[in-house]
């Protein structure tokens, strides 16, 4: 099978059929129609085999993850996703792997009405870059910048589960049964908080998605906003599965330093608490917990009732 046959067979009709795709896969570039009164929101993320997922990771999970990490970035901006591009580098044409990859990618694309509109296919070490595109009504995108002293800090879901799932897959954490399954699933198939992100427009003062680790990403939000942040150790949501397999101290480390959560971390002015309560009470809304507050100053502090604790460090590809 040649490159063009491969593209035609696997990538020509992936994801939702959308009326705003004037021209999709098959020409030199896609033609997309951005709705009037909206801004285009664009992001890209690369997954490198062995670096972002362990060797032997199921192809369908790789496909899902490659789109999920991008939809999570759009969610953090409050954007509604619409289109994706896929630059895929393959060591060889492995039809079984390709079939699995596309199945996982398409499952998430369809769930969020995203159309695959183009990309690139090359030979080399296994690696993929997905670009996701979406839109927001002009001027309404959420940003990392905007948090103010006195705002409350919230996180969706159960941070640390995905990092513990990866630790289980890599043999750094022991466990079995339903707890193991639940944590591994969080790493294999993160659920980007797309709908919730769009509802946070006009409610959150700042927002980021958690990919490097909760503490590190809160640090990015705080730095962008020119403020400091306090995390209340006892308020950190720890899932039962994480608590059961890791114990409290290590669970907290996974939650704060682990990464790969793809949850939303955001700040809310005290006056917008009622608006947030309405959002979190809606059916389908993710679990959402207040974990601390924004303060004047710089940096992230972890404070327990017993006193101040060291903050676990997050992920940085280039740190020595
Ligand atoms: P060009 O040489 O003009 O860059 P290509 O031959 O690389 O075009 O691609 C042909 C068409 O297939 C283009 O529309 C491109 O966007 C699309 N395409 C290539 N690879 C992929 C892929 N992995 N996923 C989706 N679309 C792809
Ligand atoms: Mg061309």
């Amino acid at each position: 099978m040649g490159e063009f046959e491969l593209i035609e067979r696997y990538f020509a009709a992936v994801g939702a059929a959308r009326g705003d795709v004037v021209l999709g896969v098959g020409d030199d570039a896609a033609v997309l129609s951005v709705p009037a009164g909206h801004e285009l929101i664009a992001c890209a993320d690369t997954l490198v085999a062995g670096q972002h997922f362990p060797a032997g990771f199921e192809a369908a999970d790789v496909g899902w993850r490659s789109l999920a990490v991008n939809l999570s970035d759009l969610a953090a901006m409050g954007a509604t996703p619409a289109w994706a591009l896929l630059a895929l580098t393959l060591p060889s044409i492995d039809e079984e792997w390709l079939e699995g990859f596309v199945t996982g990618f398409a499952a998430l694309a369809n769930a969020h009405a995203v159309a695959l509109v183009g990309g690139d296919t090359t030979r080399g070490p296994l690696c993929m870059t997905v670009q996701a595109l979406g839109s927001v009504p002009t001027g309404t995108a959420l940003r990392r910048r905007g948090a103010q002293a006195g705002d409350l800090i919230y996180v969706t879901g159960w941070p640390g589960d995905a990092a513990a799932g990866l630790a289980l897959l890599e043999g750094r954490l022991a466990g079995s049964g339903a707890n193991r399954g639940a944590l591994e699933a969080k790493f294999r198939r993160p659920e980007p908080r797309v709908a919730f992100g769009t509802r946070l427009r006009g409610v959150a003062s700042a927002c980021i998605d958690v990919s490097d680790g909760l503490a590190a990403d809160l640090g990015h939000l705080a730095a962008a906003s020119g403020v400091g942040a306090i995390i209340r150790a006892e308020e950190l949501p720890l899932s039962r599965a994480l608590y059961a397999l890791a114990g409290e101290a290590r669970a907290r480390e996974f939650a704060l330093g682990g990464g790969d959560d793809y949850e939303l971390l955001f700040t809310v002015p005290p006056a917008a608490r009622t608006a947030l309560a309405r959002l979190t009470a809606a059916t389908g809304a993710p679990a959402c917990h207040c974990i601390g507050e924004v303060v004047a100053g710089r940096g992230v502090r972890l404070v327990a009732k017993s006193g101040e604790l060291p903050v676990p460090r997050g992920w940085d590809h280039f740190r020595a």
Side-chain angles (χ1 to χ4, degrees), residues 3-4 7 11 24-28 86 88 116-121:
E3 179 190 333
F4 302 105
I7 294 168
F11 301 116
V25 170
D27 214 301
D28 287 316
L86 165 67
L88 182 60
L116 181 65
V117 297
D120 194 24
T121 307

Side-chain angles (χ1 to χ4, degrees), residues 121-268:
T121 307
T122 53
R123 187 190 287 268
L126 182 61
C127 164
M128 65 230 54
T129 299
V130 171
Q131 183 182 22
L133 303 162
S135 67
V136 295
T138 298
T140 66
L142 299 171
R143 297 168 189 225
R144 296 180 178 188
R145 178 179 181 163
Q148 295 196 6
D151 288 359
L152 300 160
I153 303 167
Y154 290 83
V155 68
T156 58
W158 306 95
D161 281 11
L166 178 60
L168 285 163
L169 287 168
E170 293 183 339
R172 289 179 284 112
L173 179 67
S176 58
N179 288 333
R180 182 185 183 111
L183 298 178
E184 281 191 7
K186 282 292 185 65
F187 181 79
R188 289 180 186 282
R189 300 242 168 169
E191 291 279 355
R193 303 300 188 182
V194 171
F196 194 67
T198 64
R199 290 186 202 119
L200 285 176
R201 296 196 306 245
V203 175
S205 49
C207 186
I208 188 170
D209 73 319
V210 181
S211 53
D212 296 339
L214 197 162
D217 287 315
L218 182 55
H220 299 148
L221 183 153
S225 296
V227 295
I230 289 178
I231 302 171
R232 304 271 169 214
E234 289 84 2
E235 303 301 324
L236 265 185
L238 300 175
S239 75
R240 276 164 195 257
L242 179 61
Y243 200 97
L245 293 195
E248 185 176 352
R250 206 166 165 209
R252 202 176 278 160
E253 263 174 46
F254 277 121
L256 288 168
D260 285 315
D261 297 301
Y262 302 105
E263 296 292 348
L264 295 181
L265 176 64
F266 57 96
T267 56
V268 171

